[in-house]
Amino acid sequence: MHEAPLYWDKTYLESVKRLKEGWLECDVPADVRIPLMQSGAVRDPVKADYCFESEWIEKRSWWFIRDFYVEDADLNAGVLELVMEALDSNSDIFVNGQHIGRHISVHWPFIRNIKNLVCAGKNELAVRVTTGLETVTDEQLSEINWAVCREDDNGGKYRSDYRRAFVRRPQYTVGWDWGPRVVTCGITGDVYLRKYSKIAIREASVSTACIAGDARLHVMVNVENLNILSTASGDVRVEVLYDGEVCAAAEEKNTLFTSGLNYLDFNISIKNPKLWWPAAYGGQPLYEIRVSARAGESEDIYDTIWYGIRTIELDTSVIEGEHRNFALIVNGVKIFCKGGNWIPNDSLYVRTTDEKYQALIEEAVEANFNMLRVWGGGLYERNIFYSLCDRAGLLVWHDFMFACTAYPDHLPWFRQEAYQEMDYQTKRLRSHPCIALFCGSNENHWLFNHYDNPRWGIEFKPERQYGMYIYNVMAKEAVRRNCGFIPYWNSSPYGGELPNGDTVGDVHRWHQNGFMSKVMEERIEPKGYDEVESKFVSEYGYVGPCCLQTTMDYLDNQPIDRSNLAWEIHNNVFEKETVCAGIEKQYTDNPDKLGIEEYILYGGMVHSLMLGYSLEAIRFKENCGGAVFWMYNDTWGEIGWTIIDYYLRRKISYYGVKRAFAPVKLSMRAVGGDLVVQACNDTAAPVAVHAQLGYKSFDGAADKCRPVSFRLEPYSRAYVHREPLPREDYRSGSIVLIPENGPAAPVMLRMHDTRELIFGGADIEVLENTGFDGGKKVTLTSKKYAHGVYVKGDYKCSDNYFDLVPGEVKTITVRCPADVQIEILKVK
């Protein structure tokens, strides 16, 4: 692959420089589609069925050319480096007509010293980029036995490409069940020059060695002496600041820098440390770490590291027999991980704005997340993502970028690319307090073994492991070498005798009582999740529609036709009539004949029920360490897995997830003929609950509630009440638990499908409707059971699409203009 021709024709390049016609101006980062869209040559591939119009782009090579200027002072530097943060994916780079290198990965940067290639004044940079897919041959694919998971095999006839296995590009861009084939190509990261004189700080990392009263930080600094022949003497200083004040410092004076790399270690004590915690468990104070080095007149200052003091470990201790824990321990406290899977935010990922990252992280926190899993078929995200997670208290489970295919790790060049990628990314990300776990791949252990999936006929040998050498050996070495203080897990799912088992590790719960079951009833039955015995659920999900405005947006305001191509491709590959089946199970016959607004409402309510009930059920299991559903965000608009749509509008399911993840949460289940109450308290303070527990009829006439009380200890998840399940008419009423005080919300025992319940029309009484700066405060009640109470319109609410038990009083806030008249509706 490295021996392919350079496609460089100097005569051609010199001629096109004299021509204006046919060249487009653009800023970088840029995917080639962006200037093409701006010129009107193609339309936005995330709308309607326009993705097909630009597939020709991946069959071309693309040139980026620009002039840049170098000052005389720059030429006096010891090193003048060209840095290209991301190239997608197969690139040749030229400076002043000289080929300076080839780069074949989007996942680590291209860096070259170009001091001897440039002159003072104007210089030229030229980059030729292709997708990389064109370099892959059938002969190469035969070496991995064509073992590539493709959406073509799942009914996604417009998506997939075997060749992705050989190209270090974002794997999802060839198409996935939730996104179109939009194979990206371009300069997708920043491009800049950086210069150094005698020395350069090449890396610095911070970790918490221990917390015992004071905190002890370990800071590693790597200083390069750029003179390959001579030693140098100099100083290195590390300062730790909080709120702008220096609280600790350490310095190495007159240290000897030998040629090349010099590693220095500092142990720094922080008195009365302010600890970093996951969201809800505590605050997220960040210390400012400043690192500088000097040799003679030469000084280098490293980029500021914002660091949260915390320890983290993965508990895999024995529970009983073959069963082991799988839980993260932060600052000595076991965390129940609550969150969703994170994918790139756009089919053209370069156009994701900082504001979109900010909005998505804020929405995740408001939905009571404490974790995001960065999925292995996408990208190592931009720096802003990790900084926002640091400040929000969102733990990040981070896959390396390998997903759903056998990879050719028997080839030396591929191993080298994997090594460079993992070495770079572990060094880049290790000092972020949000980074909780590195994981080798997505689904590769699970999919590519004889027992789980024999259709590829792969025979693993020491000399040919089809990617397993990367996850089992190379990734472990990279994590151990660069950040041994961060836990590592071989793959997701992984653990036990066979990957995806319930005894050890994490699972992707898709088939057994899950959405990809061959039995429709299992896909749409929420109570199936009460059977989960997994130790950590890192993937599972259900699909649901977006709101009407988003649907119109992604169809580009074309008439809605639920039988045409545009509708089909914006409908998840795995949907297969499941949304309609769920609607029929819970609400009404003939759902395929519903109008679009009813389809969206009922489909959204089922989506919310399935995610809310299942997350609560998984959290209910005392030996489970986390529930991370598939998936949180989206690359385009579709009837799909997410709870936030591409246009940043909340889907109905957002609220079901938010309620299930509440930091202080009460749950009820019927277990073995008993009624069992569980209480969760993620916070650092104890909570006393005084509540009414018992049977209430939906019409409010029968009320058999009695007072109960329990105490929720800090950081606890426990069963607090058990009694025989009363014999009652559970179609006309239910067991309710209604707290009289505190943060916990009322809950109702679910015994039957919604359409089997007998309840009449409830009148929603508005007790209060007052405005405040930025919204309204609304207090509601109902004498009868009211299902799916919601605020009409595209407003963000503290809660929405919720049930009211008879006599419950509930207050919500609505973000809206002060003069808006709030309309309260309920689902029929």
Side-chain angles (χ1 to χ4, degrees):
M1 191 169 187
H2 287 83
E3 315 308 324
L6 296 177
Y7 304 99
W8 168 247
D9 184 336
K10 189 172 182 179
T11 303
Y12 168 74
L13 186 58
E14 288 175 347
S15 66
V16 296
K17 285 166 59 180
R18 296 191 296 270
L19 299 174
K20 297 296 183 183
E21 186 178 356
W23 285 83
L24 300 173
E25 290 188 359
C26 70
D27 296 322
V28 294
D31 186 279
V32 296
R33 281 179 178 81
I34 293 175
L36 289 170
M37 285 191 294
Q38 292 169 345
S39 72
V42 298
R43 289 181 286 186
D44 193 333
V46 304
K47 293 187 175 182
D49 55 2
Y50 306 154
C51 56
F52 303 117
E53 296 179 355
S54 59
E55 285 189 352
W56 61 272
I57 288 171
E58 65 183 81
K59 298 178 176 65
R60 304 289 192 273
S61 61
W62 299 90
W63 285 91
F64 290 79
I65 300 176
R66 69 154 295 165
D67 294 333
F68 67 98
Y69 291 83
V70 174
E71 304 290 337
D72 287 329
D74 297 331
L75 297 177
N76 294 327
V79 169
L80 183 64
E81 292 178 340
L82 170 67
V83 180
M84 308 187 81
E85 289 184 340
L87 293 163
D88 186 357
S89 294
N90 191 31
S91 307
D92 289 295
I93 301 93
F94 304 84
V95 171
N96 292 333
Q98 183 169 338
H99 182 257
I100 66 168
R102 162 164 287 184
H103 199 67
I104 57 172
S105 175
V106 73
H107 295 310
W108 61 285
F110 175 86
I111 302 173
R112 288 293 186 277
N113 180 10
I114 62 170
K115 177 183 175 182
N116 296 328
L117 300 174
V118 297
C119 59
K122 187 170 74 171
N123 296 267
E124 182 188 77
L125 172 65
V127 182
R128 178 189 181 273
V129 186
T130 69
T131 68
L133 296 174
E134 79 286 351
T135 67
V136 184
T137 66
D138 286 357
E139 181 182 1
Q140 288 175 305
L141 290 169
S142 70
E143 294 181 26
I144 61 169
N145 205 23
W146 300 75
V148 181
C149 185
R150 303 187 312 145
E151 298 314 323
D152 283 356
D153 304 321
N154 298 319
K157 56 187 176 182
Y158 309 114
R159 305 166 186 180
S160 301
D161 199 305
Y162 284 114
R163 298 172 294 172
R164 69 177 174 88
F166 282 79
V167 184
R168 296 311 297 144
R169 64 163 25 263
Q171 301 284 274
Y172 81 101
T173 60
V174 303
W176 225 263
D177 65 275
W178 37 261
R181 182 187 181 95
V182 180
V183 182
T184 50
C185 184
I187 298 176
T188 54
D190 288 336
V191 180
Y192 53 90
L193 296 176
R194 65 185 183 193
K195 62 181 180 179
Y196 302 99
S197 183
K198 292 183 177 180
I199 58 171
I201 302 175
R202 290 304 189 183
E203 55 178 317
S205 71
V206 187
S207 60
T208 303
C210 70
I211 303 170
D214 296 346
R216 191 171 81 249
L217 303 185
H218 175 253
V219 181
M220 185 280 293
V221 182
N222 182 4
V223 180
E224 182 179 5
N225 174 5
L226 299 171
N227 191 314
I228 64 175
L229 297 177
S230 304
T231 61
S233 297
D235 307 329
V236 179
R237 180 172 176 80
V238 178
E239 293 182 325
V240 183
L241 298 84
Y242 188 77
D243 278 346
E245 298 291 329
V246 176
C247 57
E251 190 169 19
E252 283 278 351
K253 281 188 164 294
N254 200 26
T255 190
L256 180 66
F257 300 129
T258 59
S259 299
L261 302 179
N262 298 265
Y263 295 89
L264 295 91
D265 294 289
F266 299 86
N267 293 307
I268 302 175
S269 292
I270 307 295
K271 296 186 179 298
N272 303 313
K274 297 173 176 59
L275 301 186
W276 185 96
W277 290 94
Y281 285 77
Q284 293 80 43
L286 295 177
Y287 287 78
E288 184 180 357
I289 313 294
R290 297 178 182 175
V291 179
S292 60
R294 177 180 291 277
E297 298 301 315
S298 176
E299 183 181 29
D300 190 23
I301 299 174
Y302 198 71
D303 290 342
T304 297
I305 298 172
W306 293 94
Y307 183 71
I309 297 175
R310 61 100 179 94
T311 59
I312 192 160
E313 56 190 302
L314 179 63
D315 177 16
T316 56
S317 60
V318 173
I319 300 171
E320 183 179 10
E322 297 298 318
H323 293 262
R324 289 178 174 269
N325 285 300
F326 192 92
L328 288 170
I329 310 294
V330 178
N331 301 330
V333 173
K334 182 176 288 190
I335 307 298
F336 183 83
C337 296
K338 308 175 299 183
N341 282 261
W342 175 279
I343 63 169
N345 288 299
D346 202 311
S347 294
L348 300 179
Y349 58 88
V350 296
R351 65 179 174 182
T352 302
T353 63
D354 290 355
E355 291 74 19
K356 190 166 191 178
Y357 281 106
Q358 179 79 43
L360 284 166
I361 296 303
E362 289 176 355
E363 289 284 59
V365 172
E366 188 162 334
N368 298 313
F369 284 27
N370 62 27
M371 172 172 275
L372 290 168
R373 174 184 172 234
V374 176
W375 170 73
L379 289 160
Y380 303 95
E381 283 290 353
R382 302 211 310 261
N383 290 336
I384 187 173
F385 168 77
Y386 305 100
S387 296
L388 289 169
C389 289
D390 289 342
R391 297 183 182 280
L394 293 179
L395 298 168
V396 173
W397 169 312
H398 211 304
D399 288 0
F400 289 115
M401 293 300 122
F402 302 92
C404 301
T405 187
Y407 287 97
D409 58 3
H410 62 288
L411 300 176
W413 71 262
F414 195 91
R415 282 195 186 186
Q416 179 65 17
E417 285 298 320
Y419 168 84
Q420 295 277 19
E421 170 185 326
M422 295 186 294
D423 183 67
Y424 171 77
Q425 294 295 348
T426 50
K427 289 177 178 177
R428 171 184 166 231
L429 300 176
R430 60 190 168 188
S431 296
H432 285 279
C434 67
I435 299 296
L437 180 143
F438 281 115
C439 177
S441 78
N442 174 76
E443 295 189 344
N444 287 349
H445 280 77
W446 177 33
L447 289 178
F448 300 108
N449 66 73
H450 287 302
Y451 305 99
D452 290 332
N453 202 343
R455 64 185 168 124
W456 280 292
I458 287 177
E459 183 180 354
F460 294 98
K461 299 178 180 179
E463 67 275 12
R464 184 166 297 196
Q465 299 186 29
Y466 299 94
M468 299 301 163
Y469 184 78
I470 295 173
Y471 332 127
N472 295 343
V473 178
M474 293 178 64
K476 285 184 177 180
E477 290 176 341
V479 173
R480 175 69 176 178
R481 179 174 60 250
N482 295 331
C483 48
F485 44 86
I486 296 174
Y488 176 78
W489 195 242
N490 291 49
S491 187
S492 180
Y494 177 76
E497 183 177 356
L498 291 178
N500 214 36
D502 285 339
T503 58
V504 179
D506 70 311
V507 305
H508 291 187
R509 193 176 179 89
W510 287 116
H511 298 106
Q512 182 184 0
N513 293 321
F515 191 87
M516 296 179 191
S517 170
K518 295 180 179 179
V519 180
M520 178 62 76
E521 182 60 26
E522 289 188 0
R523 292 189 217 167
I524 60 178
E525 175 51 70
K527 288 185 179 179
Y529 292 95
D530 288 324
E531 306 304 316
V532 170
E533 295 296 338
S534 310
K535 304 307 180 288
F536 195 109
V537 180
S538 51
E539 263 196 37
Y540 85 100
Y542 195 88
V543 301
C546 305
C547 69
L548 181 59
Q549 184 58 59
T550 288
T551 305
M552 295 299 297
D553 286 344
Y554 70 66
L555 293 177
D556 201 21
N557 292 309
Q558 297 178 9
I560 295 176
D561 179 353
R562 288 162 62 187
S563 64
N564 70 7
L565 177 61
W567 180 272
E568 178 188 350
I569 66 172
H570 287 271
N571 196 355
N572 189 274
V573 168
F574 287 103
E575 200 281 322
K576 302 185 191 306
E577 305 301 325
T578 309
V579 169
C580 282
I583 293 173
E584 186 170 20
K585 178 177 174 63
Q586 299 297 337
Y587 289 106
T588 184
D589 294 332
N590 302 315
D592 55 327
K593 296 181 180 179
L594 292 171
I596 185 62
E597 293 193 51
E598 288 182 303
Y599 172 85
I600 288 170
L601 177 62
Y602 288 133
M605 288 297 294
V606 176
H607 191 202
S608 184
L609 165 66
M610 293 299 295
L611 286 183
Y613 187 96
S614 57
L615 290 169
E616 186 179 283
I618 296 168
R619 197 178 182 188
F620 194 84
K621 301 294 184 174
E622 61 180 343
N623 289 326
C624 186
V628 182
F629 67 92
W630 186 268
M631 60 193 185
Y632 174 53
N633 58 318
D634 223 329
T635 65
W636 74 336
E638 75 152 4
I639 300 167
W641 308 109
T642 68
I643 64 170
I644 296 283
D645 71 37
Y646 173 75
Y647 299 97
L648 299 180
R649 299 185 181 103
R650 295 176 178 179
K651 293 166 75 169
I652 293 173
S653 54
Y654 178 91
Y655 295 100
V657 169
K658 180 180 180 181
R659 290 190 291 270
F661 280 164
V664 179
K665 169 70 176 172
L666 303 174
S667 301
M668 289 191 296
R669 289 291 187 272
V671 181
D674 286 348
L675 172 70
V676 179
V677 178
Q678 184 200 53
C680 303
N681 179 17
D682 294 345
T683 73
V687 176
V689 176
H690 303 288
Q692 294 292 314
L693 172 66
Y695 178 83
K696 271 195 175 188
S697 61
F698 291 138
D699 62 8
D703 185 343
K704 301 181 182 180
C705 291
R706 66 190 189 281
V708 293
S709 297
F710 19 80
R711 175 184 169 87
L712 284 59
E713 297 297 334
Y715 309 134
S716 67
R717 188 161 51 113
Y719 304 125
V720 295
H721 183 84
R722 189 175 189 122
E723 65 178 54
L725 183 67
R727 293 180 177 272
E728 299 287 356
D729 179 0
Y730 288 109
R731 283 183 168 79
S732 299
S734 187
I735 306 294
V736 297
L737 179 60
I738 307 175
E740 298 172 351
N741 65 310
V747 291
M748 184 176 78
L749 183 66
R750 181 178 183 84
M751 297 293 283
H752 295 284
D753 293 335
T754 304
R755 69 178 295 171
E756 295 176 350
L757 303 180
I758 302 170
F759 57 93
D763 294 324
I764 309 298
E765 183 180 356
V766 178
L767 301 179
E768 180 185 3
N769 186 351
T770 58
F772 62 89
D773 186 20
K776 288 196 170 185
K777 178 181 177 182
V778 183
T779 301
L780 309 169
T781 191
S782 175
K783 295 179 181 179
K784 298 180 180 181
Y785 170 70
H787 174 59
V789 179
Y790 66 98
V791 176
K792 185 179 181 181
D794 183 24
Y795 303 116
K796 292 184 178 180
C797 305
S798 58
D799 198 5
N800 213 5
Y801 299 95
F802 52 83
D803 292 352
L804 285 175
V805 301
E808 178 186 351
V809 177
K810 185 179 182 72
T811 298
I812 62 171
T813 57
V814 184
R815 296 183 212 167
C816 64
D819 58 350
V820 165
Q821 296 297 315
I822 296 296
E823 185 177 1
I824 306 294
L825 302 175
K826 60 184 184 296
V827 177
K828 296 180 181 179

